């Protein structure tokens, strides 16, 4: 039992530093199971209701996989077109009914605030898997967890981190949530690089300054690449007034291996919330970076499984029982 | 082994009173598992084919959850747009093939008679999860099971029950099936309240009278609310010739807490097949009833899991083995 | 551990005769589990990523069932409309991410070559479940496995087999792949029966001749029905210039019980990749053949489960451990 047991996970603002460190410590303890070195059945018989009223393959499968890796079962619902919600049922009613069918719920929905409203009717813990422009707390936690792990290789900590955030900082939900979480730590140096039209909102800037962090706002990539972590975001063409503007933007904020070699310090870790669009010629994160060992984007998604396993274990109160229900793994795996 | 073992569940007309009582007795025995007081793995290794050619989130998830709670696995198919059925495959062929992939099948399909036709080709038991306007036997059984349990609180039985059915009694599949099942019991008093255009069909009225039950047909809610059970149905706007007519109807047959307090006897239990539409101002079942302890609508959906667990256990012949495959539940649950 | 362990299954051209015989031998050993005589949990804790970017109910459910029957879990993705792929993500990125969520992947995708491209990014073995007009190796293997088993009843072997292939031999992916596999065996006699416009492609004819097999090409059904196996294919109306042409075709290549009795040798086994279209009057394979014991079409789909179980066991290196994780089956089954 912990402060998490039986509770919802709806927003990054629920977390203080102790809570984050508890999640990360449990997430670390999940690695042998995620790497198939061992099997645990601690959640044998438990059912996850995986409710994705808005599609998101990777978040949905990541939640489901995390639950399976703890020994539980997954009942899934995708789309909303034919659901009772579409026939005018309230989120409260849907929550009352569906929470009768499971032990815990992961939910994504296009409307801001919908997951919290659903949680009020739910009789089991609800994990927010993204509610529109509002919140996506498990993404923010896995981003921060990745930063912690990447820094560890270099004997650094989140306290004292220098992070550069690049691209669309205005509409990018992930950089907002990550910034909020970083405000719980000490002496973080932010370099925010974006076109002026896509600058970080003022309320986030204020929060960063209120936390006593150092802050540099610029629209130039060059000369600003001495960060420990470089968090690149998605280029969204439709944000720009014209194709010319979009092209200019892509020219300025694009990363590839040659730019990395010329401008970055040798250990700068590159992160991105994915997916990245590979249809254009000049991508925000070119494929030639795939061989760069500091490209952490796939470690991010792998870490997502650990963080979600930790949140399931904590909300269902089994975080200290996991290793008591261990078995060996007997099939072939190259994850271990 | 029982009369259920290896057999299909296609229609309420398969059930006599003994069969119903057997289902309900097994359903009662499922409660410790549904409430997560204990875990059973009696169906470990069995596979449910959950075939929803027509969408119905709650029925689909309820079947899947019930099977998981007995230790089985669920393979799911939703929609029909791209299926072999859409390419002209016969229900017989689909059934022959898909029944090779599972131990039991739950199926919903928009066409009346389709599930029975499918069952003829199936090599495993088929449970009808709703075939258009025709049948939805598990809904009828869970409704009757809920009535039995609600009456028990007041030391009453289905024999001697007074039930009021309200609303669209003409097109409402659930009230037809429930009425048929009630004809297997004794001394039931029916009060049927609907606009004349939406009155209960004659063949159901005849069945009620043939069973020796008492029957009152009216279009007035007021003065008719001394029933043990009040079964409200969905308001379907499109049934009415005009918006004015629909509004008049809603004014007359609407239930809310103030109407309940003024007109009902203090223990009248309110049921509804769900979903209820919460978009309109004057709902058939207002949200202010949510705090009324006699509102049984969410107990209905919870009971659905018990009834479906019972039907799975009976058709697969394990109803007496369930407790032999018990384990403790170790995760946090507020269901118990 | 075997040559299969940790490797992808992308094409029939990967298989030599030894490999095929190993797959078939393991598939035979799976029968007690598929028939529910015993249960195995050898893959307890393993996760199949079942990625069907193109719909195919039976192939998808067959893979999922096969994995469940070995004790594993299944996380499923269907459709592509809202996926990251649709937003321009590369198959490489999708593969890197999704392979982090599972131990093995079965994948179907409409584009030829897509599954092999995906496999390059995947960190776990990928089984090709069909990539457009290109390959569907598990279908070819289950077809050949069915031929082997059907011949066994008559004390015959694939070496020395006489097979007739009928219908659309030009576009039918299954007859191409099956022909390639048969080139690994000895003294096979091919009778290829099709309208000239839908004749088998030259490169397959060359392969058959290069293998030293005997070959007869004809557009007449009559007089050519003394084969051990008759592999009928789907009539696809849209291949024909006019309705008249299509009708002529259907008249000529149709099979039903009366044609079977008049023209076939008494033990000729009828196969078909399914689905067959039952909407037309004159079907390529009439329903009146359903009672013919030599109609093997539903044994084909049943055998598909055995072959897929074998491929999972082999790629995950547990083919010799299956029986060590046995339990009795306690529920009712008429499969055994």
């Amino acid at each position: 039992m912990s402060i998490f047991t039986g509770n919802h996970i709806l927003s990054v603002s629920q977390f203080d530093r102790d809570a984050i460190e508890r999640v990360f410590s449990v997430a670390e303890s999940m690695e042998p199971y995620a790497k198939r070195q061992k099997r645990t059945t601690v959640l044998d018989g438990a059912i996850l209701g995986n409710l994705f009223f808005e599609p998101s393959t990777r978040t949905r499968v990541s939640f489901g996989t995390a639950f399976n890796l703890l020994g539980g079962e997954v009942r899934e619902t995708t789309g909303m077109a034919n659901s009772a919600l579409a026939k005018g049922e309230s989120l409260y009613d849907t929550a009352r009914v569906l929470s009768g069918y499971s032990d815990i719920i992961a939910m994504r929905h296009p409307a801001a605030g919908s997951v919290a409203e659903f949680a009020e009717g739910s009789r089991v813990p609800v994990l927010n898997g993204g509610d529109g422009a509002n919140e996506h707390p498990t993404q923010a936690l896995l981003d921060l967890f990745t930063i912690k792990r990447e820094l560890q290789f270099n004997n650094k900590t989140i306290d004292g981190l220098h992070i550069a955030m690049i691209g669309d900082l205005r509409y990018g939900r992930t950089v907002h949530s990550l910034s909020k979480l970083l405000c719980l730590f000490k002496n973080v140096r932010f370099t925010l690089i974006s076109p002026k039209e896509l600058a970080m909102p003022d309320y986030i800037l204020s929060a960063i300054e209120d936390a006593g962090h150092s802050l540099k706002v610029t629209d130039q990539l060059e000369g600003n690449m001495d960060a420990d972590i470089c968090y690149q975001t998605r280029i969204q063409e439709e944000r720009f007034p014209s194709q010319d503007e979009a092209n200019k933007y892509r020219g300025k904020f694009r990363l590839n291996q040659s730019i990395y070699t010329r401008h970055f310090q040798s250990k700068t870790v590159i992160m991105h919330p994915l997916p990245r669009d590979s249809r254009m010629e000049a991508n925000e994160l070119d494929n030639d970076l795939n061989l760069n060992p500091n490209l952490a984007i796939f470690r991010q998604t792998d870490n997502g499984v650990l963080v979600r396993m930790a949140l399931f274990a904590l909300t269902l109160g089994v975080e200290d029982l996991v290793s008591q229900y261990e078995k060996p793994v007997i099939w072939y795996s190259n994850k271990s």
Side-chain angles (χ1 to χ4, degrees), chain A:
Chain A
M1 301 286 285
S2 70
I3 54 157
F4 296 96
T5 313
N7 289 323
H8 308 305
I9 307 284
L10 300 174
S11 163
V12 292
S13 61
Q14 286 175 253
F15 291 85
D16 59 17
R17 185 157 172 169
D18 280 353
I20 285 173
E21 284 176 355
R22 185 81 183 114
V23 171
F24 288 0
S25 150
V26 175
E28 290 286 355
S29 75
M30 293 301 170
E31 190 154 47
Y33 310 102
K35 286 209 167 162
R36 277 64 165 175
Q37 290 155 357
K38 302 177 199 166
R39 160 77 170 149
T40 181
T41 59
V42 69
L43 288 185
D44 173 52
I47 297 173
L48 167 67
N50 215 16
L51 307 182
F52 275 63
F53 297 112
E54 178 184 65
S56 172
T57 302
R58 71 191 62 212
T59 304
R60 177 178 56 78
V61 179
S62 177
F63 272 116
T65 290
F67 210 72
N68 281 161
L69 288 176
L70 291 167
E73 289 290 336
V74 183
R75 303 268 39 87
E76 220 152 52
T77 294
T78 55
M80 196 159 57
N82 293 294
S83 73
L85 284 173
K87 291 178 201 149
E89 187 175 70
S90 66
L91 281 163
Y92 177 88
D93 276 16
T94 303
R96 289 289 292 177
V97 173
L98 295 184
S99 63
Y101 301 152
S102 60
D103 296 283
I104 190 164
I105 286 171
M107 173 172 168
R108 176 179 282 232
H109 189 287
S114 57
V115 178
E117 190 184 338
F118 180 97
E120 282 175 41
S122 173
R123 294 170 283 170
V124 300
V126 175
L127 273 59
N128 186 353
D131 60 329
N134 186 38
E135 285 263 6
H136 189 7
T138 62
Q139 175 73 41
L141 288 168
L142 77 86
D143 283 341
L144 187 62
F145 182 61
T146 301
I147 290 171
K148 176 176 182 279
R149 295 190 118 196
E150 298 291 326
L151 293 175
Q152 261 168 351
F153 290 126
N154 303 325
N155 292 314
K156 295 187 175 181
T157 62
I158 302 176
D159 292 323
L161 161 73
H162 179 193
I163 185 168
M165 295 177 171
I166 305 178
D168 178 357
L169 306 185
R170 183 170 175 194
Y171 297 105
R173 180 175 58 180
T174 54
V175 286
H176 303 173
S177 298
L178 178 56
S179 297
K180 285 184 207 166
L181 286 182
L182 285 171
C183 288
L184 300 170
F185 290 79
K186 290 180 194 152
N187 302 320
V188 178
R189 199 174 139 202
F190 285 81
T191 302
L192 304 180
I193 307 167
S194 74
K196 286 187 181 60
E197 303 78 17
L198 297 179
M200 187 72 91
D202 286 342
Y203 82 98
I204 300 281
L205 297 180
S206 303
I208 290 171
E209 286 173 340
D210 290 352
H213 294 330
S214 88
L215 177 60
K216 178 177 186 182
V217 175
T218 172
D219 64 354
Q220 297 298 321
L221 198 69
E222 221 166 314
N224 289 305
M225 297 318 300
D226 52 339
D228 302 304
I229 301 286
C230 161
Y231 196 105
Q232 175 67 291
T233 59
R234 186 125 42 107
I235 292 174
Q236 291 170 293
E237 295 260 314
E238 62 275 20
R239 303 284 187 215
F240 297 90
S242 73
Q243 188 64 37
D244 272 3
E245 286 293 313
N247 287 343
K248 207 174 68 181
Y249 170 89
R250 285 215 305 267
K252 271 179 86 172
F253 299 102
R254 171 189 187 188
L255 295 184
N256 61 24
Q257 185 55 38
S258 121
I259 293 167
Y260 188 92
T261 309
R262 272 184 287 137
H263 297 297
F264 282 44
Q265 60 134 309
S266 68
K267 288 177 172 174
T268 298
V269 171
I270 303 173
M271 295 174 61
H272 186 290
L274 297 184
R276 54 178 170 168
D277 194 327
S278 68
R279 285 172 301 192
M280 305 171 223
E281 249 179 79
N283 202 302
E284 77 260 23
L285 209 60
D286 279 15
N287 288 330
D288 68 2
L289 287 162
N290 288 353
L291 294 174
N292 185 325
N294 294 306
L295 186 78
I297 58 177
F298 303 117
R299 293 195 289 276
Q300 272 175 281
T301 56
D302 284 353
N303 287 336
V305 175
L306 298 179
V307 166
R308 291 179 178 116
M309 289 176 81
L311 293 172
F312 285 136
L314 285 161
T315 47
L316 292 174
V318 295
E319 70 275 16
D320 297 327
L321 301 174
V322 176
S323 64
Q324 289 178 34
Y325 292 83
E326 260 177 35
K327 297 181 188 179
V329 162
I330 55 168
W331 69 86
Y332 167 82
S333 175
N334 60 8
K335 289 190 201 290
S336 50

